[in-house]
Amino acid sequence: AEALAPDDEVAIWIGLAQMATGDLAGAKRQLQALVEKRPNSPDGHRSLAMVLAREGQREAAVGALRRTLSINPNDQAAQHLLKEIGASP
């Protein structure tokens, strides 16, 4: 897994804040841009999965969580989210 630069961490926080305030489209754009820039970022994929799940895009969320686990098999948050969605790793 690649370490995030400070700007990338800020991008995740902005995306999560957008999600929290109901701006799912903005959050998805922010986090998709991040995972395109940092495809090996488990934090980016996990955060994007949270937005996708909130949008009701279950299969896309499961895919993002599985990508998270392919980068970091020990990511407990991703494992938990998969269980919440009702999918297996």
Side-chain angles (χ1 to χ4, degrees):
E2 77 186 83
L4 289 177
D7 287 351
D8 298 331
E9 288 185 39
V10 170
I12 287 176
W13 284 110
I14 290 170
L16 294 175
Q18 288 172 306
M19 181 179 73
T21 60
D23 181 9
L24 297 180
K28 187 163 80 172
R29 276 192 308 275
Q30 179 82 11
L31 295 167
Q32 281 177 327
L34 175 64
V35 298
E36 287 172 15
K37 178 181 170 188
R38 300 274 186 227
N40 293 320
S41 165
D43 295 332
H45 287 283
R46 184 183 348 90
S47 299
L48 178 58
M50 292 168 58
V51 173
L52 293 168
R54 182 87 57 95
E55 282 187 328
Q57 296 185 40
R58 182 184 182 277
E59 291 306 312
V62 168
L65 289 168
R66 287 184 177 148
R67 176 71 178 128
T68 301
L69 291 171
S70 74
I71 300 164
N72 179 7
N74 298 317
D75 190 310
Q76 292 182 350
Q79 293 169 1
H80 177 76
L81 288 169
L82 273 174
K83 287 179 189 172
E84 269 190 16
I85 292 173
S88 58

